[in-house]
Amino acid sequence: QVELVESGGGLVNTGDSLRLHCTASGRFGSTYTMGWFRQAPGKKREFVAGISRNGENINYAESVKGRFIISRDKGENTVHMQMNSLRPEDTARYYCEIPCADSRCLPTYWGLGTLVTVSS
């Protein structure tokens, strides 16, 4: 059984920052690649960012490059995402998913998500 729990979402104003967190628990033989997706009401699920097992390879969606920073705790299945300069179009439920290092990933596990709302 694998469980992912996201946290850190909230209601903020345009230009504000938030930091999301995700911890995966369960029986792991090793660390996973980890990623963030998001889905806004009425829109398709969208890849946001992904990070390799050692944290050295990182990928971002074009829409968040330069504003979001994904990171992970070394040797752990814990991932964070610093979201800066938030925009109303960033409003969505954000999901942590594994394994996932880039937009081509096919995750096996995901959490219930954390809601981010950016007011204009």
Side-chain angles (χ1 to χ4, degrees):
Q1 184 78 18
V2 174
E3 182 181 24
L4 285 85
V5 179
E6 303 96 335
S7 64
L11 172 63
V12 296
N13 295 317
T14 297
D16 285 351
S17 298
L18 279 175
R19 187 171 174 85
L20 304 185
H21 307 278
C22 170
T23 298
S25 60
R27 292 185 177 182
F28 301 109
S30 63
T31 55
Y32 281 95
T33 56
M34 302 186 77
W36 289 96
F37 281 75
R38 66 185 181 186
Q39 187 164 23
K43 293 190 177 181
K44 291 183 179 180
R45 181 170 158 276
E46 175 187 26
F47 169 81
V48 179
I51 189 166
S52 63
R53 291 168 60 183
N54 61 10
E56 294 182 359
N57 294 309
I58 291 173
N59 294 281
Y60 296 103
E62 287 296 324
S63 58
V64 306
K65 275 184 181 178
R67 299 188 299 123
F68 291 12
I69 302 171
I70 189 172
S71 62
R72 68 183 301 158
D73 294 348
K74 187 176 181 180
E76 301 291 332
N77 286 308
T78 300
V79 68
H80 315 281
M81 186 160 70
Q82 178 68 37
M83 305 189 299
N84 301 319
S85 302
L86 283 163
R87 306 166 179 170
E89 53 264 39
D90 294 318
T91 295
R93 181 167 289 274
Y94 285 71
Y95 298 88
C96 175
E97 308 201 6
I98 63 172
C100 184
D102 56 46
S103 61
R104 299 166 297 175
C105 69
L106 297 173
T108 304
Y109 304 103
W110 50 89
L112 297 178
T114 185
L115 184 62
V116 173
T117 304
V118 185
S119 65
S120 57

